[in-house]
Amino acid sequence: MVDLHCHILPGIDDGAQTVEESIELLSAHRKQRIRSVVFTPHFNFERTDIKTFCNRREKSLELLSASQEFIDLDIQVKSGAEVYFSVRLNEEELDPLCIEGTNYILIELPVTARPYGLTHTLRALLNRGYIPILAHVERYPYLAEDPTVLYELVMQGCLAQVNTGAILKDNERTAMAMKYLRWELAQLISSDTHSMTKRPPNIKQAMSVVENKLGGQYIRWLDKNSEDVFNGRYIDLPVVKKPKKFFGVWR
Ligand SMILES: [Fe+2]
């Protein structure tokens, strides 16, 4: 299995702070048979620039890679970023922010309101050959209120990821996460691991919940999708039905 979204690199954002913490998180991943991990520290155009971010990320990775315990874990890792949405995305060369060696770029949206230029900016990214992956898509109220917005983005070529933590809880976000998966409007699940207490590594538990609720075929599909993204392969998405509202409920 693969984790495409986590904050395990030491000392770079609000995730792991030390190499020891990173090792603990990666060991927990390894016990759940996670073989490949993309490190996706937060990137925000308001706070830094791509070059500075990449230098810090490289130093953090070097620190981790030098640890014998890390080598012993025998886990395949790639660099990436969780990029906060900005219309500036289309003014910059984004290859260094993509999942290493691929055109996939993980994008976080604001929670409070649909950002100005969302559809236009993502479409322009697609036209440039990038494939945006919308991070923890269950979090955004404006998508839950009108899932046809997500539908249109996915039909244009974007992917969407849900957090394992949302699947394992039992609240409104859980309900949306399961709906997005069932509708195949979300094609990826990832841990968004920050620490052993805040969003811990829990892909295995989340996968078994998905299996119980939606069936084994979803597990195989999700697994394959994550693997394809990790390896930079194109995912040929099925044509899905546009969500419709019946008696006040999106179905
Ligand atoms: Fe994240």
Side-chain angles (χ1 to χ4, degrees):
M1 287 200 286
V2 176
D3 191 12
L4 296 172
H5 177 180
C6 67
H7 302 266
I8 290 182
L9 270 189
I12 188 166
D13 62 6
D14 57 341
Q17 293 307 306
T18 61
V19 170
E20 291 70 31
E21 222 183 308
S22 306
I23 300 288
E24 189 184 10
L25 295 167
L26 288 171
S27 304
H29 257 345
R30 207 69 185 87
K31 281 183 193 137
Q32 297 178 38
R33 299 217 204 126
I34 307 292
R35 283 183 295 115
S36 313
V37 173
V38 184
F39 296 133
T40 53
H42 291 286
F43 173 86
N44 189 328
F45 284 109
E46 303 293 320
R47 294 195 201 131
T48 187
D49 59 82
I50 294 177
K51 201 172 169 211
T52 310
F53 170 81
C54 289
N55 286 339
R56 287 188 63 219
R57 186 180 62 184
E58 200 180 316
K59 285 207 179 90
S60 174
L61 184 59
E62 274 171 17
L63 199 66
L64 179 62
S65 307
S67 148
Q68 187 57 45
E69 281 172 297
F70 172 76
I71 297 164
D72 292 344
L73 279 172
D74 190 26
I75 202 158
Q76 193 184 5
V77 298
K78 282 191 173 189
S79 290
E82 180 177 11
V83 182
Y84 196 75
F85 179 84
S86 163
V87 287
R88 280 186 62 189
L89 281 165
N90 281 310
E91 296 165 13
E92 307 274 350
E93 172 58 55
L94 299 172
D95 290 3
L97 299 178
C98 289
I99 295 175
E100 202 178 325
T102 80
N103 295 329
Y104 291 104
I105 181 163
L106 183 68
I107 296 188
E108 176 181 24
L109 302 179
V111 173
T112 43
R114 178 175 168 170
Y116 175 79
L118 175 66
T119 306
H120 173 85
T121 305
L122 295 178
R123 194 184 298 138
L125 284 181
L126 286 159
N127 288 340
R128 291 168 67 199
Y130 295 114
I131 304 175
I133 300 174
L134 301 177
H136 34 61
V137 77
E138 72 283 356
R139 267 198 209 172
Y140 313 117
Y142 48 93
L143 295 185
E145 276 156 28
D146 183 2
T148 63
V149 175
L150 179 61
Y151 169 84
E152 298 296 345
L153 293 172
V154 170
M155 285 302 102
Q156 282 176 27
C158 294
L159 298 181
Q161 172 256 316
V162 300
N163 272 7
T164 51
I167 293 169
L168 292 168
K169 285 183 188 140
D170 186 14
N171 56 30
E172 268 177 42
R173 283 184 185 174
T174 312
M176 273 333 284
M178 295 311 293
K179 273 189 185 179
Y180 291 147
L181 289 174
R182 199 177 68 238
W183 294 339
E184 297 178 18
L185 283 184
Q187 309 79 17
L188 303 163
I189 70 172
S190 308
S191 74
D192 196 8
T193 288
H194 279 66
S195 72
M196 289 304 284
T197 46
K198 186 190 173 194
R199 284 175 241 156
N202 52 15
I203 290 190
K204 201 176 168 196
Q205 297 99 297
M207 281 294 206
S208 65
V209 170
V210 172
E211 186 169 21
N212 288 337
K213 288 190 178 169
L214 302 179
Q217 75 277 19
Y218 273 86
I219 301 300
R220 291 185 286 278
W221 183 66
L222 290 165
D223 251 350
K224 184 180 182 305
N225 291 344
S226 289
E227 197 124 331
D228 283 347
V229 168
F230 188 85
N231 291 304
R233 288 190 292 260
Y234 183 72
I235 298 180
D236 199 11
L237 291 177
V239 175
V240 295
K241 274 195 242 161
K242 190 171 184 172
K244 282 190 179 151
K245 212 173 193 178
F246 290 106
F247 301 107
V249 180
W250 286 100
R251 292 171 199 275

